[in-house]
Amino acid sequence: MLQGSGIRAALALGLAAVSALAGFVIGGSIESVAVALVGGIAAVLVAIGTGEDEAPPRVPEPLAPPPATPEPAIADVIAAIGEPMLVVAEKRVIRANAAAKTLLGQHILGEDVRLAIRHPAASERLVAAAGSRGDEPIHLVGLGTREQRWEMRVRELGDDVRIVHLVDRTGSYATDRIRVDFVANASHELRTPLASILGFIETLRDEAGDDAGIRDRFLKVMFDEANRMRRLIDDLMSLSRIEAEKYREPDTLVDLADLVEEVRSEIAAASNGRGGDLCSAIADVAPIKGDRAQLSQVLHNIVGNAMKYGRPGTPVTIQLRHDGGSMVRLSVTDEGEGIAPQHLPRLTERFYRIDSGRSRAMGGTGLGLSIVKHIVERHRGRLDIASTPGAGTVVTVLLPAGPVSSKRNVNVTEAP
């Protein structure tokens, strides 16, 4: 629809045309009619151009700004953070969250920050002029406990106000130490047999190689050392594979009773006269979810250790039964010399040995129980080692049980 000046313009044009037509009908010449028509159109255009009575165009009103969101108080912000945080103004602690009070003490509010965080490197950073040290972190050792490692970060808020953030790096530091120790130990374990092999080779290249007896003895030592290196490399690769699969739970069913009997027969046949010392008491347990090859490795390690360190002529007993709940208990008991209490917490560390010389002489790599621990963890189980010096050792593995079988038979294989 036409509105305002548009309607008036249409009416004016219509009137100009009607007037010109009427003048022509009455008898006017065509020239006069044309002049009248052009004049009327011009008048219409002028009327449209002026448009003084039109209302000015409406300007849209600006949108109202959204309501401002209130900023949370800084005390609420640091309280929501689980790591220790402090707010320091003029070198005094004015705010501290619960984690900071737990670490440094409840008394730190209002205290000089150099007394709250008693560390020389921290004091130097906290009293430095604003912006003089940048944002580089400061590493603190011994804050809290002697073993803890912290990373301190400081942020300037202006007007001599700073936020101090403490990040616990103890776990990453321990991981780095384990990695460094592992590389050092592995290098040492490989270097020792390698040096022995190289030394014998050099001796054989000289005149000693002409003596058949010396040559055979040296070659046997070299063969044994090479085998030792091979076992060590195999164990390292095995440990690496197990750790790579640590978070992938096994999903195949394993008949543990059948596996125990299989391993018992293998070890008994290879025990050089001690096979008769190995006996078992196996209850009827349902299959469990597991990795058969890895569980066989667990059995070979703990039963093999019991045979190595148990006294000749004393029984080594493998027992398998339900634990009375949702677990299956596998235990291996020997009657050897036992283990002193101070060694028990470290037995599953890589390359840890109670008697290094004896362990190497028996062909041990120092990785067996570490491998056992990682396999048991992958199977969501638990490993326990109990020992009484002079009486023997019991190694127990608890694994999640499958559906309980209705049968409760116990197969016992006794030492003759």
Side-chain angles (χ1 to χ4, degrees):
M1 296 178 63
L2 295 174
Q3 296 181 355
S5 59
I7 296 174
R8 291 194 297 271
L11 291 175
L13 287 172
L15 289 173
V18 170
S19 299
L21 181 62
F24 180 73
V25 171
I26 293 172
S29 64
I30 189 63
E31 291 82 1
S32 61
V33 171
V35 170
L37 182 59
V38 171
I41 293 173
V44 171
L45 293 177
V46 172
I48 292 174
T50 57
E52 294 179 355
D53 59 339
E54 290 185 10
R58 295 183 61 188
V59 178
E61 296 181 1
L63 296 176
T69 302
E71 296 185 0
I74 192 169
D76 297 332
V77 173
I78 67 172
I81 297 174
E83 296 171 329
M85 293 197 74
L86 308 171
V87 179
V88 179
E90 297 180 352
K91 301 181 180 63
R92 292 196 173 272
V93 179
I94 61 172
R95 295 283 187 274
N97 63 2
K101 293 177 182 177
T102 300
L103 175 66
L104 304 172
Q106 301 293 325
H107 60 279
I108 59 175
L109 287 178
E111 196 171 55
D112 190 309
V113 69
R114 291 168 293 185
L115 298 177
I117 305 177
R118 296 175 180 269
H119 196 283
S123 299
E124 183 182 352
R125 174 68 178 88
L126 292 167
V127 300
S132 62
R133 295 292 300 273
D135 293 334
E136 72 275 13
I138 303 295
H139 298 281
L140 310 179
V141 180
L143 190 65
T145 65
R146 193 168 69 178
E147 292 78 17
Q148 285 184 295
R149 266 63 176 176
W150 295 88
E151 183 180 278
M152 186 183 78
R153 294 181 175 274
V154 181
R155 294 290 185 272
E156 311 287 345
L157 294 184
D159 298 329
D160 201 21
V161 178
R162 301 175 180 182
I163 290 184
V164 180
H165 182 197
L166 296 171
V167 183
D168 191 354
R169 299 297 188 194
T170 307
S172 59
Y173 176 82
T175 301
D176 290 341
R177 283 293 305 273
I178 290 172
R179 186 181 300 112
V180 170
D181 291 345
F182 173 73
V183 172
N185 287 326
S187 300
H188 173 73
E189 293 291 335
L190 288 170
R191 188 184 300 117
T192 302
L194 186 58
S196 177
I197 291 172
L198 291 174
F200 283 118
I201 290 174
E202 290 178 1
T203 305
L204 289 174
R205 290 175 62 183
D206 297 332
E207 67 278 359
D210 298 332
D211 188 319
I214 294 177
R215 184 175 62 248
D216 291 343
R217 182 162 57 88
F218 282 10
L219 288 174
K220 181 182 183 306
V221 174
M222 293 167 62
F223 179 78
D224 292 341
E225 293 296 329
N227 267 333
R228 178 181 160 195
M229 292 178 63
R230 179 185 56 80
R231 287 193 301 270
L232 178 59
I233 292 170
D234 288 345
D235 280 353
L236 288 172
M237 293 180 65
S238 177
L239 188 58
S240 177
R241 286 193 298 268
I242 294 165
E243 287 183 329
E245 297 176 334
K246 183 175 181 178
Y247 299 103
R248 185 171 63 84
E249 188 175 1
D251 55 3
T252 57
L253 291 178
V254 177
D255 187 338
L256 201 54
D258 180 65
L259 182 60
V260 169
E261 278 299 324
E262 178 184 311
V263 172
R264 188 195 69 81
S265 299
E266 291 176 1
I267 294 178
S271 293
N272 297 325
R274 285 207 63 198
D277 294 341
L278 192 57
C279 55
S280 60
I282 303 174
D284 180 54
V285 297
I288 67 169
K289 284 186 177 181
D291 184 311
R292 185 180 177 86
Q294 290 185 356
L295 291 174
S296 175
Q297 198 170 5
V298 167
L299 283 164
H300 274 93
N301 270 303
I302 59 178
V303 177
N305 283 345
M307 295 293 285
K308 287 177 187 176
Y309 300 110
R311 296 188 186 95
T314 60
V316 172
T317 305
I318 309 171
Q319 188 178 49
L320 179 67
R321 60 181 175 84
H322 277 285
D323 196 44
S326 60
M327 306 293 281
V328 170
R329 177 183 290 268
L330 170 68
S331 61
V332 178
T333 306
D334 67 62
E335 296 181 10
E337 297 176 1
I339 303 168
Q342 66 268 23
H343 295 296
L344 292 176
R346 302 190 61 189
L347 288 177
T348 57
E349 292 182 13
R350 300 173 185 180
F351 299 111
Y352 183 80
R353 295 183 175 96
I354 299 171
D355 185 343
S356 298
R358 184 182 178 190
S359 175
R360 290 192 181 97
M362 292 184 173
T365 63
L367 295 172
L369 287 177
S370 180
I371 290 173
V372 168
K373 183 191 76 168
H374 282 84
I375 292 175
V376 171
E377 287 178 350
R378 188 200 170 199
H379 285 73
R380 310 304 187 260
R382 191 168 73 247
L383 173 68
D384 180 65
I385 303 174
S387 185
T388 303
T393 303
V394 181
V395 179
T396 302
V397 175
L398 294 172
L399 297 169
V404 179
S405 173
S406 59
K407 296 169 62 180
R408 289 293 181 183
N409 298 333
V410 177
N411 299 323
V412 178
T413 303
E414 297 183 352

